[in-house]
Amino acid sequence: MPDFQGSGTAEDPWVLNTPPGGSQYQVHRDETAEPPALVCQVGTTKLSYQLRCIDDLHAMLKAYGDWMPLGNADEQKPAAPGTVEAWARADDNPVGGWYGLRKGYRGRFANYVPPVLEALGLVELEHNARNNRMRAL
């Protein structure tokens, strides 16, 4: 399990690192949002994803049964097929499209959500300089 701080609330957010370890960011659950959100604060930028992404991503990885590349990409760039990022945008995922809630900032799912699952003990996540992968535990 990685070293991280916080309890995941707005008052005490998780303090996590991106998979390559180059950037630190804060994350908390906002269950009062509509829909409930996972809010990521990256410097002055706020990104948010549907909170259900934690359970949905874990279930998908368990069903997949192997390592899956992250494939991190901005919203304006296509996600490589067969990656976590592509799944988070796919029409056939459990929400029928983007998990990202803020237009223009819906990408980078594979950069900010996997460390949350790792902190929760749900996945194993690689921490290489590039081309990281994850798998369900």
Side-chain angles (χ1 to χ4, degrees):
M1 179 134 0
D3 183 30
F4 71 97
Q5 304 166 13
S7 62
T9 65
E11 298 76 27
D12 185 30
W14 290 306
V15 179
L16 302 171
N17 290 304
T18 57
S23 298
Q24 193 173 73
Y25 62 103
Q26 296 182 351
V27 183
H28 70 272
R29 290 178 164 124
D30 182 354
E31 299 195 31
T32 65
E34 188 52 48
L38 183 68
V39 180
C40 303
Q41 188 70 44
V42 185
T44 59
T45 303
K46 184 184 286 187
L47 301 102
S48 56
Y49 305 95
Q50 292 187 45
L51 183 57
R52 66 176 288 172
C53 72
I54 295 170
D55 293 332
D56 290 353
L57 177 56
H58 185 240
M60 182 277 292
L61 290 168
K62 283 184 84 156
Y64 186 70
D66 199 0
W67 288 96
M68 180 177 276
L70 298 183
N72 180 37
D74 287 328
E75 178 179 347
Q76 296 77 18
K77 296 182 179 167
T83 63
V84 170
E85 187 75 35
W87 171 84
R89 305 171 179 202
D91 291 338
D92 62 351
N93 70 26
V95 297
W98 294 88
Y99 276 90
L101 295 172
R102 185 174 170 210
K103 184 116 171 91
Y105 294 90
R106 296 182 300 181
R108 299 250 171 212
F109 179 94
N111 204 42
Y112 300 118
V113 176
V116 174
L117 276 72
E118 183 184 37
L120 294 171
L122 299 173
V123 301
E124 184 175 0
L125 178 62
E126 292 180 332
H127 295 280
N128 302 312
R130 299 181 60 113
N131 301 320
N132 289 301
R133 304 174 302 161
M134 67 187 300
R135 68 177 171 187
L137 292 175

